[in-house]
Amino acid sequence: MAQTALQLQEASARNLLINCAQAQAGDRVLLVGELGDNPYFDSELCPTVAKYAESLGMKSEIIFAEPGSDADSFPDVVRDAMNRSDRTIFFSRLGDQVRFSLPDDSRITVMAYTLDLDYLSSPFASVDFLVMKKVHDALLSLILNASSYRITGDCGTDLVSEIIPGRAEAVADFALELFPVMIFPPVICHRMNGKLSIRNFVTSTSTRAFEGSTLILNEPIVATVEESRMVAFEGPPKLVEHLEDQLTRAAKLTGGDPLLINSWHTGINPGTFYTQDPYKDLDKWGTVAYGSPRYTHFHAAGIDPGDAAFHVMDLTIAFDGETVWDRGRFVFLDRPDIQALMTPEQAGLLNSQVLHQIGI
């Protein structure tokens, strides 16, 4: 029998608190919500999850704060509250801004990408975090043991790159836990060569906020990539000029190379969805849509991870010849050893045929 929205909400909250944050009865759980003129996260998320935390014997504290421009402007009031808590869960872009730079701490910190109660009341958040983590770890093992990969698409993208042995050289690990499991750590672009089709729009990478971070592309631009740098652009000259200006402005935030492609990753959560018009707020769209297997994004322009993001849909990606995504479908989920990790109910939600609309 299908679960009701309220049953899914409770399952998701327990999944977040127990399976992801590993909170136990007696733990102090800090829930950080978002203030500001245009909050991405519904203010009802914190009190809703706090209710479930209290029912599990945990002690909850709620703080709302406005996101700053970057990790350096992290609010002291939130940092102080984190220091007195056993677990911290962000329903706020504040967590996104420190996802690569949070100080090392044995206490678990979580960035939750459930934008509102509809997300919290769906299989997107209720699918067992521990099962998804096993899928994530198996995929990461495949990546770390590969020597090369190829990324291709009907859009004209065709890139090849090497993987340097050793985790620290191959991927850029996150500094906190992501909920639900959305993606794997970005793969560092080492000796990447080929063509990258840049289309639809360019946004920030959510690491730093800056004025005019979104550039709409009415026509595609094809970048020639040599040794992980964009060395030439094919497209309408005026549009290419706007793109180059965008990359220059983004790179100035860190003083890095505006033409460098630092890393990329692709979504691994087939339950990801987005029902609004992405063009009303592309940065908000990207906050959650990046978990979709349809969606590959590249970090570029500046010191790693960079401050410009390229968004490419429905790619085929293979590591050492083994196809992991096939035109935007996460076929890795269909491998017998991966399906063996799941119950039949979970397998019905985690397979390459499950794919929801994300607005693009």
Side-chain angles (χ1 to χ4, degrees), residues 234-250:
E234 302 168 46
K238 202 68 178 174
L239 199 57
V240 169
E241 184 179 324
H242 288 320
L243 175 61
E244 291 176 328
D245 177 67
Q246 185 80 359
L247 298 177
T248 297
R249 289 194 306 110

Side-chain angles (χ1 to χ4, degrees), residues 216-234:
I216 304 297
L217 300 176
N218 297 319
E219 296 183 54
I221 294 174
V222 177
T224 298
V225 180
E226 295 181 1
E227 300 295 311
S228 306
R229 293 187 76 252
M230 295 170 283
V231 298
F233 295 102
E234 302 168 46

Side-chain angles (χ1 to χ4, degrees), residues 8 44 82-83 136 163 266 292 339:
L8 283 169
E44 288 301 309
M82 291 175 70
N83 288 336
H136 166 279
I163 296 178
T266 302
S292 171
Q339 286 288 297

Side-chain angles (χ1 to χ4, degrees), residues 330-346:
F330 189 33
V331 294
F332 181 77
L333 287 172
D334 301 336
R335 284 179 22 166
D337 59 322
I338 300 302
Q339 286 288 297
L341 299 172
M342 311 173 196
T343 65
E345 181 182 6
Q346 291 164 349

Side-chain angles (χ1 to χ4, degrees), residues 80-156:
D80 292 343
M82 291 175 70
N83 288 336
R84 62 176 178 264
S85 301
D86 300 303
R87 301 288 185 269
T88 297
I89 299 173
F90 285 98
F91 295 102
S92 167
R93 281 170 286 174
L94 279 170
D96 237 4
Q97 290 176 336
V98 296
R99 69 191 188 278
F100 292 112
S101 59
L102 197 69
D104 187 29
D105 194 319
S106 59
R107 289 170 292 189
I108 294 175
T109 302
V110 178
M111 174 62 209
Y113 291 96
T114 49
L115 294 179
D116 56 32
L117 294 181
D118 286 341
Y119 283 93
L120 193 66
S121 306
S122 74
F124 169 73
S126 67
V127 168
D128 192 327
F129 177 87
L130 299 177
V131 170
M132 282 296 293
K133 195 67 173 176
K134 289 178 182 177
V135 173
H136 166 279
D137 291 348
L139 172 63
L140 189 55
S141 177
L142 181 150
I143 293 171
L144 293 175
N145 284 287
S147 60
S148 65
Y149 57 88
R150 185 179 184 188
I151 303 174
T152 59
D154 293 341
C155 61

